[in-house]
């Protein structure tokens, strides 16, 4: 951990009117720095490390979907959490990705300062790059603390974003099948 990060958190405590020497706050700068490093550990990972060669030959050319992958990220505008789930699908062309790797890709990009729109695209493009799939679809649904805890304070709002690549963009039938399978189509 950088030596500067705890001192920055100490300055934040002072800035909000707290006494960093108060018993309950003595170790808070160090703990907050460790927490921030953990929440942003996606910067220390690469796509190659995360996938770690877990691509397997397969004749399957039918849709593969990983639903309800929980994600935790920090809004790059307010440094407040957004929490939700990602649904990721792809249509293989000779190779399938190890199941846990989809969740690890979601986590790698979520554990960076983000906006949900970019996160959705980064996940889709990473799965496309790794698998060379005929198409990739990603839908993310998340609740944003920057909207719930401050500002308009809307507790039940959920933001949905989607990115459709390849056949998911080109074929309304493929897109509809995906949305129906994740329970988002009427």
């Amino acid at each position: 951990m950088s030596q500067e990060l705890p001192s920055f958190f100490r300055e934040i405590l002072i800035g909000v009117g707290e006494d960093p020497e108060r018993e309950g706050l003595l170790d808070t700068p160090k703990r907050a720095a460790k927490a921030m490093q953990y929440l942003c550990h996606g910067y220390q990972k690469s796509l190659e490390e995360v996938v770690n060669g877990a691509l397997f030959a397969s004749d399957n050319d039918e849709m593969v979907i990983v639903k309800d992958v929980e994600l935790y990220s920090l809004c790059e505008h307010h440094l407040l959490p957004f929490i939700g789930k990602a649904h990721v699908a792809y249509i293989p062309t000779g190779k399938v990705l190890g199941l846990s790797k989809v969740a690890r890709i979601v986590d790698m990009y979520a554990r960076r300062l983000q906006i949900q729109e970019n996160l959705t695209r980064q996940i889709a493009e990473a799965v496309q790059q790794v698998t060379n799939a005929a198409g990739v679809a990603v839908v993310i649904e998340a609740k944003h603390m920057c909207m719930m805890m401050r500002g308009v304070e809307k507790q039940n709002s959920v933001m949905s974003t989607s990115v459709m690549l390849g056949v998911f963009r080109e074929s309304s039938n493929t897109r509809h099948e995906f949305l129906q399978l994740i329970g988002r189509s009427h």
Side-chain angles (χ1 to χ4, degrees):
M1 170 180 9
S2 110
Q3 299 295 357
E4 296 146 338
L5 204 49
S7 66
F8 294 148
F9 279 104
R10 186 177 194 287
E11 291 302 312
I12 289 170
L13 291 174
I14 293 167
V16 298
E18 262 294 355
D19 174 9
E21 300 304 316
R22 183 167 65 78
E23 181 183 2
L25 296 177
L26 285 174
D27 290 330
T28 296
K30 190 182 340 176
R31 286 192 302 263
K34 280 185 175 181
M36 184 59 78
Q37 283 188 313
Y38 180 79
L39 294 173
C40 294
H41 72 260
Y43 291 114
Q44 271 65 75
K45 297 184 178 183
S46 71
L47 188 55
E48 294 73 29
E49 287 174 315
V50 166
V51 172
N52 195 24
L55 278 170
F56 306 101
S58 175
D59 292 336
N60 180 41
D61 62 358
E62 297 294 328
M63 192 180 305
V64 175
I65 301 175
V66 183
K67 284 178 38 172
D68 299 322
V69 178
E70 71 262 8
L71 65 89
Y72 307 93
S73 194
L74 291 175
C75 159
E76 68 184 37
H77 300 140
H78 301 100
L79 300 184
L80 290 173
F82 64 94
I83 300 164
K85 54 189 170 183
H87 312 289
V88 181
Y90 68 99
I91 297 180
T93 56
K95 292 191 186 269
V96 293
L97 185 58
L99 177 61
S100 72
K101 303 309 180 183
V102 173
R104 291 181 192 280
I105 289 170
V106 169
D107 194 46
M108 179 182 78
Y109 289 109
R111 295 303 186 151
R112 299 175 182 187
L113 301 179
Q114 280 289 8
I115 61 172
Q116 185 175 327
E117 298 90 336
N118 291 349
L119 175 59
T120 309
R121 177 155 298 282
Q122 289 167 350
I123 294 166
E125 289 176 349
V127 172
Q128 177 66 48
Q129 178 184 333
V130 168
T131 64
N132 197 30
V136 176
V138 177
V139 170
I140 293 179
E141 302 163 304
K143 290 188 168 212
H144 291 251
M145 297 303 126
C146 58
M147 194 162 158
M148 296 170 71
M149 296 175 66
R150 56 162 300 283
V152 296
E153 296 186 24
K154 298 300 176 199
Q155 303 308 306
N156 297 308
S157 60
V158 175
M159 181 179 183
S160 294
T161 51
S162 69
V163 171
M164 306 286 168
L165 304 176
V167 296
F168 287 98
R169 180 181 275 291
E170 298 156 7
S171 167
S172 60
N173 287 340
T174 304
R175 184 170 50 254
H176 178 74
E177 179 184 354
F178 165 65
L179 294 173
Q180 192 171 32
L181 288 169
I182 66 167
R184 301 302 176 266
S185 183
H186 301 285

